[in-house]
Amino acid sequence: IISVRDLSKCYWIGKVPFPALNRVNLEIYDNDFTVLAGRSGSGKSTLLNIVGALESADTGEVVVDNQNILQMSADQRTQFRLQTIGFVFQAYNLIQVLTAQENVAYVCRLQGKSKLESLEIAAHWLDAVGLGELGSRRPNQLSGGQQQRVAVARALATNPKIVLADEPTANLDTVTAQKLVCLLQKLHDDFNTTFLISSHDPDVKNASSRLIKLSDGHVIKRWDEALP
Amino acid sequence: IISVRDLSKCYWIGKVPFPALNRVNLEIYDNDFTVLAGRSGSGKSTLLNIVGALESADTGEVVVDNQNILQMSADQRTQFRLQTIGFVFQAYNLIQVLTAQENVAYVCRLQGKSKLESLEIAAHWLDAVGLGELGSRRPNQLSGGQQQRVAVARALATNPKIVLADEPTANLDTVTAQKLVCLLQKLHDDFNTTFLISSHDPDVKNASSRLIKLSDGHVIKRWDEALP
Ligand SMILES: Nc1ncnc2c1ncn2[C@@H]1O[C@H](COP(=O)(O)OP(=O)(O)OP(=O)(O)O)[C@@H](O)[C@H]1O
Ligand SMILES: Nc1ncnc2c1ncn2[C@@H]1O[C@H](COP(=O)(O)OP(=O)(O)OP(=O)(O)O)[C@@H](O)[C@H]1O
Ligand SMILES: [Mg+2]
Ligand SMILES: [Mg+2]
């Protein structure tokens, strides 16, 4: 469902190019639960952003759900993200002037759902991540781990085909992280959602059946439980 | 070196008070390496912010390095923070328009050091956290874990008596986190720095000799390696 071929991306620091991804090749299959691992700075966020049609790339091909991402126009990318992807950002990227519930409902509204239905869906997902009582708080009235969970709820609220999660348990204690992983596994089992999760959390790794490890922008290791 | 007596703090959500800390009592001794644990939302950041003179409290007493924090004026708190505390924020709080090196040098400048010396000190600490090459990058040109390490370098650059670190390894892979913990332990051993670190990272917990656990704003558990 995600096919990455020979993907390369440089960031420009003034006139100097910095290769963040260097000829990355990987395949994610429908209903995978794959962890993307690697050192800080190895390229995980960059890879997720490109697969999620949030950033451009220099060379290579990325096909997600049969759509050629790198060839899309800005409008096509927006539509694609709305219909297919749920994204959990490493820095959450919540809207500060909206409440937690409004932040989650917002993506449902973008999908064309009514205000009432969106708020109900949002309440359901906030409850699922353990924030049932806190929907009327704004992000700056929440702890770090609570903000992180609002970001997760927002990614799940649109019932996406593919969830791209960038370190979704980084600011959570072990118990809260394990509950979140259980929630993700349940979605994986019940709705056949595909997960690609950047994480260094052992609980997330233990829940996954495949692992892809990056180093300095290229793939150095692949592990698949299904293979002998 | 840190004495917290009967500390309580409510946040106000409109007219409704929410008790974030509820009669917290704890002692941190000179040259401790103490971890502050607890579930997401249990009050760790709030406690660190109050001890670091960044937030006010409602009732109780907080004495840090023989100074009564809750009675201080705004100016006194600013002086106290500059001279005594190195703070690693959970959300890093880097200045976006300054480079990594300038972010770290800034706190040295505030202490009255020359521009040249501040930049040299900053380069040293960025190197110590593994970011030696990246000093001229701005925060939005760095990965999440790289930004986190700039925040740590900035907290250490003033050679503070007490380091208050709010989840300083949350966005780091295991290897990078372990190197950071080694650095903190080295400072602890060589300079007698006192550490109070909010973390759920096992590597941080393993390095500590004391643990204080919060739940719903109060202390539920204390563990001390030194005690039988
Ligand atoms: N500005 C605020 N206004 C209202 N409530 C707040 C505010 N900041 C924090 N809270 C609440 O106070 C409680 C403690 O928050 P705190 O940030 O100290 O938790 P924490 O232990 O650091 O959590 P985490 O591990 O998720 O970072 C939480 O329930 C949070 O929702
Ligand atoms: N906007 C940018 N401009 C320049 N360089 C960048 C930019 N964003 C990221 N980089 C660099 O690209 C490399 C990969 O960054 P990326 O954010 O993908 O790493 P990561 O694996 O997600 O790291 P972390 O685990 O710390 O979040 C890093 O060396 C980083 O410094
Ligand atoms: Mg990242
Ligand atoms: Mg916190």
Side-chain angles (χ1 to χ4, degrees):
Chain A
I1 199 168
I2 300 173
S3 159
V4 176
R5 297 245 167 286
D6 226 32
L7 180 68
S8 295
K9 161 129 194 161
C10 268
Y11 286 110
W12 288 87
I13 319 288
K15 296 212 173 79
V16 182
F18 174 82
L21 293 179
N22 192 356
R23 311 197 66 168
V24 173
N25 285 285
L26 62 87
E27 303 268 322
I28 304 293
Y29 302 99
D30 201 2
N31 207 17
D32 262 2
F33 197 103
T34 299
V35 164
L36 185 61
R39 297 254 186 113
S40 169
S42 56
K44 305 180 295 297
S45 296
T46 304
L47 178 59
L48 286 176
N49 289 345
I50 292 172
V51 169
L54 289 160
E55 278 189 43
S56 63
D58 299 327
T59 58
E61 181 191 68
V62 177
V63 179
V64 183
D65 198 30
N66 295 320
Q67 303 182 60
N68 193 327
I69 304 301
L70 299 182
Q71 310 287 2
M72 285 183 173
S73 70
D75 283 346
Q76 288 172 325
R77 271 184 269 132
T78 304
Q79 271 309 306
F80 162 76
R81 287 197 303 271
L82 201 53
Q83 292 167 3
T84 311
I85 305 286
F87 206 106
V88 186
F89 293 88
Q90 191 167 5
Y92 323 148
N93 294 8
L94 299 177
I95 301 174
Q96 296 298 320
V97 299
L98 298 183
T99 65
Q101 186 178 15
E102 289 166 346
N103 261 283
V104 179
Y106 183 64
V107 289
C108 301
R109 294 287 278 145
L110 289 177
Q111 279 190 331
K113 296 195 165 64
S114 74
K115 183 170 178 184
L116 185 64
E117 188 181 7
S118 300
L119 288 171
E120 285 177 356
I121 292 172
H124 164 80
W125 287 104
L126 285 172
D127 198 57
V129 299
L131 299 177
E133 314 278 297
L134 302 181
S136 53
R137 299 265 188 102
R138 280 190 300 281
N140 67 1
Q141 295 174 319
L142 293 172
S143 77
Q146 290 167 345
Q147 293 177 33
Q148 182 148 46
R149 286 181 274 158
V150 176
V152 174
R154 180 178 63 181
L156 304 179
T158 51
N159 224 334
K161 215 175 220 177
I162 301 168
V163 172
L164 302 175
D166 202 344
E167 312 211 27
T169 64
N171 275 285
L172 301 179
D173 58 281
T174 321
V175 173
T176 312
Q178 286 172 349
K179 288 184 186 172
L180 199 78
V181 172
C182 283
L183 175 67
L184 301 183
Q185 280 180 303
K186 187 168 187 307
L187 291 172
H188 171 259
D189 299 342
D190 292 356
F191 298 116
N192 293 336
T193 316
T194 302
F195 285 86
L196 178 59
I197 306 177
S198 149
S199 184
H200 48 269
D201 186 337
D203 289 318
V204 177
K205 288 181 180 167
N206 288 338
S208 70
S209 53
R210 297 185 66 221
L211 182 125
I212 295 170
K213 186 165 183 174
L214 296 183
S215 171
D216 292 327
H218 52 272
V219 178
I220 55 164
K221 182 165 148 195
R222 294 166 214 271
W223 171 85
D224 197 329
E225 197 177 63
L227 302 178
Chain B
I1 197 166
I2 301 174
S3 162
V4 175
R5 298 245 165 282
D6 227 33
L7 180 68
S8 294
K9 160 123 192 166
C10 268
Y11 286 110
W12 288 87
I13 318 289
K15 296 214 173 82
V16 181
F18 174 81
L21 293 178
N22 191 357
R23 309 196 70 166
V24 174
N25 285 284
L26 62 88
E27 303 269 321
I28 304 294
Y29 302 98
D30 202 2
N31 206 17
D32 262 1
F33 197 103
T34 299
V35 164
L36 184 60
R39 298 257 183 111
S40 169
S42 56
K44 306 180 292 297
S45 296
T46 305
L47 178 59
L48 286 177
N49 289 345
I50 292 172
V51 169
L54 289 161
E55 280 190 44
S56 63
D58 300 329
T59 57
E61 182 191 67
V62 177
V63 179
V64 183
D65 198 32
N66 295 320
Q67 303 182 59
N68 193 328
I69 303 300
L70 299 183
Q71 310 286 3
M72 285 182 173
S73 70
D75 284 343
Q76 286 170 326
R77 269 184 270 132
T78 303
Q79 271 310 306
F80 162 76
R81 286 199 302 272
L82 201 54
Q83 290 165 5
T84 311
I85 305 283
F87 206 106
V88 185
F89 292 90
Q90 188 166 9
Y92 325 147
N93 294 8
L94 300 177
I95 301 174
Q96 296 297 320
V97 298
L98 298 182
T99 65
Q101 188 178 13
E102 289 165 345
N103 261 283
V104 179
Y106 182 65
V107 289
C108 302
R109 295 288 278 146
L110 288 177
Q111 278 189 331
K113 296 195 165 64
S114 75
K115 184 169 177 183
L116 185 63
E117 187 182 6
S118 299
L119 288 171
E120 285 177 358
I121 292 172
H124 164 81
W125 287 105
L126 285 173
D127 197 57
V129 297
L131 299 177
E133 312 281 298
L134 302 181
S136 55
R137 299 265 188 103
R138 281 189 301 280
N140 68 1
Q141 294 173 319
L142 294 171
S143 77
Q146 290 167 344
Q147 293 176 35
Q148 181 147 46
R149 285 182 275 159
V150 176
V152 174
R154 181 179 62 180
L156 304 179
T158 51
N159 224 334
K161 215 176 219 176
I162 301 169
V163 172
L164 302 175
D166 202 343
E167 311 210 28
T169 63
N171 274 287
L172 302 179
D173 58 279
T174 320
V175 172
T176 312
Q178 286 172 348
K179 288 183 186 170
L180 199 80
V181 171
C182 283
L183 173 68
L184 301 182
Q185 278 180 303
K186 188 169 187 306
L187 292 171
H188 171 258
D189 299 342
D190 293 354
F191 299 116
N192 292 335
T193 316
T194 302
F195 284 87
L196 179 58
I197 306 176
S198 151
S199 185
H200 49 270
D201 186 336
D203 290 318
V204 177
K205 289 181 180 166
N206 288 339
S208 71
S209 54
R210 298 186 64 222
L211 182 127
I212 295 170
K213 187 166 185 177
L214 297 183
S215 170
D216 291 328
H218 52 273
V219 178
I220 56 165
K221 185 163 143 192
R222 292 165 216 273
W223 170 82
D224 198 327
E225 195 176 65
L227 301 179

